[in-house]
Amino acid sequence: MRRARSKSPLRAVIQGLAAGVLGNAVFTGYQLLKSRNAQEPEGEADPPEDWSETPEPAQVGQRVAAGVFRRPVGLEHAGVVKNVVHWAYGSSWGAVYALIEESVGQPVVSGVALTSAVMAADYTMLPAMKLYDPPWEYGAPTLARDFASHLVHGLAIAAAYRALDPLFDAS
């Protein structure tokens, strides 16, 4: 059942950004749990010797800083760059979610649609940056696992958006 819409597009986008931060926090926690469960026995990982050894968000941030802003970033800041890109990118999808949800009005459908949009963006931009292979190079199980993982992000944003409704609905 669709709910009555009573908020302006700007209010919806602001609510979406807030939901994006909350949803990205859930997704980050999920990623941390997954990585802890998959980690090898205790031990200190070797620091990266160059940017190609850092996670993709760090590489994207380094390229944007150097290419767009003409500000090279030292490798010692890779962790900070990774976190900034992860939080900015993951949280900003909340604004996109708001536009989908205010049009569709079904949180689960909107969450799946958001996940699909994120995957399409990731598998377009990252291969173009030579950080991922093109999607057709991956097997269906790999893509399904990636979609399922990102579905946590999409549905967490959907839940956060709905939870924030009382704060953002016009009186």
Side-chain angles (χ1 to χ4, degrees), residues 68-167:
V68 176
F69 297 110
R70 307 262 188 235
R71 302 270 189 222
V73 178
L75 188 57
E76 69 275 10
H77 300 296
V80 171
V81 172
K82 177 194 80 147
N83 283 324
V84 167
V85 170
H86 168 78
W87 281 96
Y89 183 73
S91 298
S92 66
W93 280 103
V96 175
Y97 176 82
L99 299 175
I100 297 169
E101 171 59 17
E102 292 299 322
S103 299
V104 175
Q106 299 293 326
V108 173
V109 172
S110 299
V112 171
L114 179 70
T115 301
S116 300
V118 170
M119 291 286 292
D122 287 356
Y123 280 94
T124 301
M125 290 186 301
L126 295 174
M129 297 177 82
K130 307 282 189 236
L131 297 176
Y132 273 16
D133 290 328
W136 53 86
E137 298 286 329
Y138 295 98
T142 299
L143 294 172
R145 277 191 303 276
D146 198 16
F147 187 87
S149 178
H150 282 84
L151 191 57
V152 171
H153 178 251
L155 295 178
I157 289 175
Y161 190 85
R162 186 55 64 102
L164 291 168
D165 264 346
L167 299 174

Side-chain angles (χ1 to χ4, degrees), residues 24-25 35 39 67 141:
N24 204 47
S35 70
Q39 250 181 9

